[in-house]
Amino acid sequence: MKLMTAVVKFVQSMPRLFTWERRKAIWAIYVWCRRTDELVDGPNASHITPMALDRWESRLEDLFQGRPYDMLDAALSDTVGKFPVDIQPFKDMIEGMRLDLKKSRYKNFDELYLYCYYVAGTVGLMSVPVMGIAPESQATTESVYNAALSLGIANQLTNILRDVGEDARRGRVYLPQDELAQAGLSDEDIFAGKVTDKWRNFMKNQIKRARMFFDEAEKGVTQLSSASRWPVWASLLLYRQILDEIEANDYDSFTKRAYVSKANKITALPLAYARSLIGPSKISSKVL
């Protein structure tokens, strides 16, 4: 969700780059995602039941049918009417919230990947119809959506690596259990919160994997419409820097929260703009 927050802020601050309809649509999707996320992470999360999520999903189906419950639902209903947004990623995000109610461990990366898809990869799939694919793009629609999915996965993996200590204090470990064991680590080591050589080596591999997903995501950004590329590039480059900050903190995600400084954010914007000028006509579709 944090990546979409960055995109939304950038889009809202650059009205000349995005049409008013696109800005409204991105905002509507963001608001729905935030409300969904807060069902299990917000102040009333302890009272949320599977039945409550079922009701939320029924409400989602209603708004897709043009029957919104409130004004915020109406904003998304309007978006659905103007852009080819599919309901499945939204339903899948709700499924991710169901997972959070019953699951706090992931035995391998396949399980963790599925969770990351539900709670973050879906955001990329929701956004592509609004962001738009450049008319001159020769890439397949599937490849662009796959790149958007990779960006969501990269974003969530970054969240997980940054928030290890915070999650541990809530009794949660969003790390592959088999890979922890292979590194000579266990949940007890996570709860102890000590940075050791075993932990550093484990984190190096996790960060390497997250960067691979960011690399895959980059291939799709060039295929987006010209108005969309700058905000997406900016959010991608800024969010990926969190991984650099984790390394700078000596992999201490237990007591330190990695964040990108204001100076680094300002520095990243011109680079993002320069990259946004490279469109699909200058990139071979074969890379996708």
Side-chain angles (χ1 to χ4, degrees), residues 13-28:
S13 68
M14 296 291 179
R16 294 182 182 178
L17 291 182
F18 254 38
T19 65
W20 171 238
E21 292 298 336
R22 280 183 174 175
R23 282 191 287 141
K24 284 197 303 181
I26 289 294
W27 177 84

Side-chain angles (χ1 to χ4, degrees), residues 12 21 25 42 53 57 65 70 75 78 104 136 167 169 190 198 200 206 211 217 226 231-232 250 264 270:
Q12 297 300 329
E21 292 298 336
L53 291 175
E57 184 169 355
Q65 293 297 320
D70 60 18
D78 180 67
S104 62
E136 68 272 23
D167 290 332
R169 288 187 285 276
I190 305 302
K198 289 181 180 179
R200 292 186 184 93
Q206 302 301 308
R211 285 182 173 140
S226 58
V232 177
D250 192 30
N264 284 345

Side-chain angles (χ1 to χ4, degrees), residues 2-12 26 131 231-232 235:
K2 307 297 192 304
L3 180 62
M4 190 164 192
T5 300
V7 173
V8 169
K9 288 181 177 178
F10 198 89
V11 167
Q12 297 300 329
I26 289 294
M131 295 291 183
V232 177
S235 59

Side-chain angles (χ1 to χ4, degrees), residues 6-256:
V7 173
V8 169
K9 288 181 177 178
F10 198 89
V11 167
Q12 297 300 329
S13 68
M14 296 291 179
R16 294 182 182 178
L17 291 182
F18 254 38
T19 65
W20 171 238
E21 292 298 336
R22 280 183 174 175
R23 282 191 287 141
K24 284 197 303 181
I26 289 294
W27 177 84
I29 292 172
Y30 164 74
V31 168
W32 185 88
C33 290
R34 173 57 64 191
R35 295 171 85 190
T36 303
D37 185 59
E38 287 184 350
L39 290 175
V40 296
D41 278 337
N44 297 316
S46 60
H47 303 294
I48 293 297
T49 65
M51 289 183 62
L53 291 175
D54 290 343
R55 290 193 295 270
W56 187 248
E57 184 169 355
S58 178
R59 181 168 160 172
L60 171 71
E61 292 168 351
D62 283 344
L63 75 83
F64 261 78
Q65 293 297 320
R67 300 189 298 272
Y69 181 80
D70 60 18
M71 292 302 294
L72 295 178
D73 283 356
L76 182 56
S77 187
D78 180 67
T79 295
V80 169
K82 294 176 177 175
F83 296 91
V85 179
D86 188 77
I87 194 173
Q88 194 58 49
F90 294 84
K91 298 182 78 167
D92 286 346
M93 177 173 280
I94 295 173
E95 188 61 31
M97 302 305 112
R98 292 190 179 100
L99 269 181
D100 255 340
L101 289 181
K102 62 185 180 182
K103 193 176 180 72
S104 62
R105 300 292 187 280
Y106 295 85
K107 64 181 181 181
N108 52 43
F109 184 69
D110 287 343
E111 282 195 0
L112 184 62
Y113 177 91
L114 183 60
Y115 172 74
C116 290
Y117 161 71
Y118 282 144
V119 302
T122 50
V123 177
L125 303 186
M126 296 171 190
S127 304
V128 170
V130 177
M131 295 291 183
I133 299 174
E136 68 272 23
S137 174
Q138 297 299 309
T140 64
T141 301
E142 181 183 7
S143 69
V144 177
Y145 274 85
N146 283 339
L149 173 58
S150 292
L151 184 52
I153 299 297
N155 170 44
Q156 187 61 24
L157 290 176
T158 301
N159 284 344
I160 288 170
L161 298 178
R162 181 196 61 195
D163 298 339
V164 172
E166 180 181 329
D167 290 332
R169 288 187 285 276
R170 299 167 56 205
R172 296 181 174 275
V173 179
Y174 292 102
L175 298 167
Q177 293 288 309
D178 60 342
E179 294 178 25
L180 279 172
Q182 290 166 13
L185 298 165
S186 66
D187 286 355
E188 286 68 30
D189 294 299
I190 305 302
F191 295 137
K194 293 182 179 179
V195 177
T196 63
D197 286 340
K198 289 181 180 179
W199 174 251
R200 292 186 184 93
N201 290 332
F202 172 80
M203 285 291 282
K204 287 176 183 177
N205 289 327
Q206 302 301 308
I207 289 173
K208 180 179 179 181
R209 175 189 283 148
R211 285 182 173 140
M212 288 173 58
F213 280 101
F214 276 121
D215 290 344
E216 285 300 309
E218 287 192 10
K219 299 174 184 177
V221 184
T222 57
Q223 307 301 319
L224 296 176
S225 65
S226 58
S228 302
R229 289 196 293 267
W230 190 9
V232 177
W233 267 121
S235 59
L236 186 156
L237 294 176
L238 289 170
Y239 219 78
R240 185 162 54 187
Q241 285 187 39
I242 293 174
L243 298 174
D244 301 334
E245 297 303 322
I246 293 173
E247 292 173 331
N249 288 340
D250 192 30
Y251 306 98
D252 183 2
S253 292
F254 302 115
T255 64
K256 298 178 181 179

